[in-house]
Amino acid sequence: MNHSEKLAIAAHLHVLLRRKTGRVTDTEWMASNGSYAREIARFARERAVLDQAPELIEWADRLDHCMQDTLAAEVRRSAREAEAARAAGQAAAPSANTAATGHSQARRYVGGIR
């Protein structure tokens, strides 16, 4: 599902939550971030039961369905980042020589913000 479709679903759920519960959400972040979308969908379902608003459940389900590919991509990205961090941690481990002198090229800040 493309971003504009996710954004439309997020915007519709935002309006419903605002009207039914007074909750203000970030529609752009909801359409982009799977964790935030999952939490908003959970909140919408909870409030749907409390406020007897079945349309909240319907739109929470739609949001969950459209965010499945985003959640899968986030899981894959976090796994890659964890692997890269583990590899960088092994590469950055100072040798006996650099530990004794206190100079490690891996820990030195290189570059700058321009």
Side-chain angles (χ1 to χ4, degrees), residues 8-101:
I9 292 169
H12 197 98
L13 186 57
H14 167 83
V15 170
L16 285 173
L17 285 171
R18 180 77 171 121
R19 287 180 181 165
K20 302 284 182 184
T21 68
R23 174 78 180 246
V24 177
T25 61
D26 186 338
T27 55
E28 184 66 37
W29 190 240
M30 194 186 318
S32 301
N33 185 285
S35 298
Y36 182 71
R38 188 172 43 245
E39 180 59 25
I40 293 299
R42 185 204 57 77
F43 175 78
R45 286 187 186 96
E46 181 181 294
R47 290 306 299 252
V49 171
L50 291 174
D51 300 340
Q52 298 173 349
E55 63 274 11
L56 286 176
I57 292 175
E58 175 189 347
W59 284 95
D61 289 344
R62 287 184 184 189
L63 181 65
D64 272 344
H65 178 72
C66 80
M67 294 304 290
Q68 290 304 315
D69 59 338
T70 302
L71 289 169
E74 286 178 2
V75 167
R76 287 190 304 271
R77 183 175 52 242
S78 66
R80 281 193 310 266
E81 289 172 354
E83 180 61 32
R86 186 172 35 251
Q90 291 172 353
S95 67
N97 294 357
T98 58
T101 61

